[in-house]
Amino acid sequence: MSASPAAHLSRLWRSPDLLVGSILLAVLVLVALFPFLFTAHSPVAISVPDALQAPSAAHWFGTDDVGRDIYARVVYGARVTLSICAGSLLISAIIGGGLGLASGFFGGWLDQVLGRLIDVMLSFPPIILGVIITGVLGPQTGNLILALSIVYLPVFFRIARAGAMSETGQTYVEAARSIGLSDGRILRRHVTRNVTPLILTQYMILFPLILQIQAALGFLGLGVQPPTPDWGAILEGGKDYILFAPWISIFPGVAVLVTALALMLIGRGLQRRLDSR
């Protein structure tokens, strides 16, 4: 019997990490889904006479070099940045996790081949691998998503492979085989279900890291291209004005920091709950 909502809330209150992280994440998701509720300014409207204005009542986060409202760009950039990171990491989890489950469960030549390919990918630091892929394919949103998906695919592969190998040695797998269930069905209906919590926890732990890489690629000009609002792109646009208009870079940087903190707290809280089982 599943726990009641009240029981879930009670456990949440007993975990400060999960509580604070969940509150921050809820606010960020609300901003990403309904940015028009938080600002009346357009994130792409240019007003040259208002260029490089400091934060004020009219422009809470100031304006950039062409007069665009930084607050509006940060608010609308939440949807772009978070959707790219969430989608890329989801692709990594599905593909990497699926391959890892198959590799750990079936073993043999499949495990050998996939293991060598993953070792090659792991030989590159994540940011370097992201720069190589986006640099070769070009700075487009689709290429950015592909690069970010590839960067952390090996991590999900290893987590899922280790979980599948552990589950394969359990008695329920032997019992399922003894009653005639196929390996494919055992993998889909039993092993995958038991390994999924590990993959989900890893998803939350990796989200702050992929967020930082996405922002770094945007800062290098390899991410989302102007005028689309994106936190990394806003940082890149403010690098030439850091000395006399630091607000252009400060506020998107704070947004990245707060988001990374929220997801880190949730990931740590989930990890502790998983370890306590």
Side-chain angles (χ1 to χ4, degrees), residues 1 24 35 64 68 78 87 97 108 119 122 136 142 185 209 227 270 277:
M1 184 176 179
L24 290 175
D64 62 9
R68 292 175 296 197
D119 287 341
L122 286 171
V136 171
R185 188 173 182 182
L209 302 179
L270 291 175
R277 289 184 177 180

Side-chain angles (χ1 to χ4, degrees), residues 29-268:
V29 170
L30 188 64
V31 171
L33 292 177
F34 308 104
F36 52 86
L37 296 178
F38 296 87
T39 178
H41 290 281
S42 168
V44 296
I46 294 174
S47 178
V48 176
D50 296 328
L52 299 177
Q53 288 191 6
S56 63
H59 301 283
W60 293 355
F61 292 179
T63 61
D64 62 9
D65 56 324
V66 293
R68 292 175 296 197
D69 186 81
I70 297 298
Y71 174 71
R73 290 183 63 76
V74 171
V75 168
Y76 277 87
R79 175 184 294 181
V80 177
T81 301
L82 296 180
S83 61
I84 288 175
C85 292
S88 300
L89 206 57
L90 181 62
I91 294 172
S92 295
I94 292 173
I95 298 178
L99 292 175
L101 284 167
S103 179
F105 185 78
F106 294 109
W109 66 268
L110 179 65
D111 187 39
Q112 293 291 325
V113 172
L114 292 177
R116 299 295 78 76
L117 290 174
I118 294 300
D119 287 341
V120 171
M121 296 172 66
L122 286 171
S123 65
F124 295 91
I127 184 63
I128 300 300
L129 185 58
V131 169
I132 291 173
I133 296 172
T134 52
V136 171
L137 298 179
Q140 297 178 0
T141 303
N143 296 336
L144 175 63
I145 293 174
L146 175 63
L148 293 175
S149 299
I150 293 174
V151 162
Y152 284 112
L153 187 150
V155 179
F156 285 108
F157 174 89
R158 288 201 160 183
I159 289 293
R161 176 179 178 272
M165 292 179 67
S166 175
E167 292 297 319
T168 302
Q170 299 297 319
T171 55
Y172 77 86
V173 173
E174 297 296 330
R177 284 173 173 159
S178 67
I179 62 175
L181 291 182
S182 65
D183 284 347
R185 188 173 182 182
I186 296 171
L187 176 61
R188 290 192 306 270
R189 298 192 59 180
H190 301 286
V191 175
T192 300
R193 183 176 60 186
N194 291 333
V195 176
T196 296
L198 295 174
I199 297 176
L200 291 177
T201 300
Q202 194 64 35
Y203 183 96
M204 299 304 299
I205 292 173
L206 290 178
F207 206 114
L209 302 179
I210 202 169
L211 177 68
Q212 294 170 40
I213 291 180
Q214 193 269 350
L217 292 175
F219 181 79
L220 295 173
L222 298 173
V224 178
Q225 298 302 296
T228 303
D230 170 75
W231 293 343
I234 301 171
L235 284 167
E236 193 276 335
K239 70 180 187 301
D240 295 329
Y241 305 94
I242 191 66
L243 294 180
F244 54 90
W247 55 85
I248 300 177
S249 299
I250 288 175
F251 291 109
V254 170
V256 173
L257 179 63
V258 171
T259 305
L261 175 63
L263 294 163
M264 182 191 68
L265 290 173
I266 293 174
R268 187 166 63 180

